[in-house]
Amino acid sequence: AQTVTQSQPEMSVQEAETVTLSCTYDTSESDYYLFWYKQPPSRQMILVIRQEAYKQQNATENRFSVNFQKAAKSFSLKISDSQLGDAAMYFCAYISSGAQKLVFGQGTRLTINP
Amino acid sequence: KAGVTQTPRYLIKTRGQQVTLSCSPISGHRSVSWYQQTPGQGLQFLFEYFSETQRNKGNFPGRFSGRQFSNSRSEMNVSTLELGDSALYLCASQGLAGSPGETQYFGPGTRLLVL
C-alpha cells in the first residue's frame, strides 16, 4: 500500500523568509501524481501545487515550488517570502494513476512569526 | 464558478442515530470523493462516485454508505453512529473526466460530533 510521510509535525518561520516542508512517499507505481494542500483554520482544503510524476520539471506556483526527486521518492515544498496568510496545516498527498483515492500524509503545521 | 458546497456544516448526534451529509460538486464535475479527517487517523478516503456509480471504496465498515444523483450531487450516510465517528467529513469534486490526475477540489466540510 502506498504511504506518505511528513516528518515535521510543526515548523515555524519568520515572515518574509523561506521555509521548506518535507514529504516522502512509498510506492511501486511509476505513474502517479503528487499534491500539496493547505488547510487554514477555516478547515477548507486548498490546493497549493500539483506535480505529475512523469514530468522531471519541478512545479511552481508563484511563491510556492517543489523539489521532486522521483528516485528518492521525495516531494518537498518550498515557500518563499513567507506571509502571515501562509499559516496553516500543509498536507502532502499522493494518487496513483490506477486508483481514485488521495493518500495523505499526517500534515505539517506551519506558523509564521511576524 | 461556485465551489464545492457541503451541508450541514455542523451536526451533533447521539450514539446509535444515523446521519446524512450532502455534497454539491463544482458545476460540470462528475466525480465526488469523500474523506474522513480525525486527529488520530488523519485524512482517510471513504469512497468515490462517478456518474452515479461507486468506483472506489476505502476501508470503512458497512455503516458508511453513499450515493450520487444524476445531477452529481452526493450524499453519504452513517448508520448506528459511534463515538469514533466524530470527525470532519470532507467532500471533493473532480473535473470533467474524473481521472486520478485531475485536481480534487474540496468543500468546507461537515463537522460531526457524536455524543
Side-chain angles (χ1 to χ4, degrees), chain A residues 33 35 37 39 42-47 50 52 91 95-106, chain B residues 31 33 35 37 40-43 45 48 55-56 88 90 94 98-101 103-104 106-108 111:
Chain A
Y33 303 82
F35 303 83
Y37 280 92
Q39 188 178 42
S42 67
R43 308 301 282 175
Q44 179 140 16
M45 298 281 277
I46 301 165
L47 176 71
R50 170 180 176 272
E52 296 152 334
F91 291 95
I95 192 167
S96 164
S97 63
Q100 201 67 28
K101 65 172 186 177
L102 281 168
V103 177
F104 287 90
Q106 288 298 102
Chain B
S31 169
S33 297
Y35 295 85
Q37 185 176 23
Q41 299 300 316
L43 283 148
F45 172 78
E48 185 256 351
R55 290 197 299 189
N56 288 272
L88 179 69
L90 294 167
Q94 203 171 10
S99 63
T103 298
Q104 294 188 25
F106 284 81
R111 182 168 294 283

Side-chain angles (χ1 to χ4, degrees), chain A residues 6-49:
Chain A
Q6 293 179 247
S7 59
Q8 307 150 316
E10 296 186 0
M11 293 278 286
S12 65
V13 65
Q14 291 295 125
E15 193 176 2
E17 293 190 345
T18 296
V19 64
T20 298
L21 309 184
S22 300
C23 172
T24 58
Y25 57 95
D26 185 24
T27 183
S28 58
E29 305 282 339
S30 59
D31 190 14
Y32 52 86
Y33 303 82
L34 297 162
F35 303 83
W36 278 97
Y37 280 92
K38 165 186 175 181
Q39 188 178 42
S42 67
R43 308 301 282 175
Q44 179 140 16
M45 298 281 277
I46 301 165
L47 176 71
V48 175
I49 204 162

Side-chain angles (χ1 to χ4, degrees), chain B residues 64-105:
Chain B
F64 291 82
S65 63
R67 59 177 176 170
Q68 187 180 33
F69 302 95
S70 58
N71 62 356
S72 294
R73 189 178 70 85
S74 177
E75 290 181 346
M76 68 163 281
N77 183 275
V78 188
S79 62
T80 319
L81 283 166
E82 300 177 0
L83 296 180
D85 297 333
S86 295
L88 179 69
Y89 290 89
L90 294 167
C91 161
S93 81
Q94 203 171 10
L96 301 178
S99 63
E102 293 175 295
T103 298
Q104 294 188 25
Y105 296 92

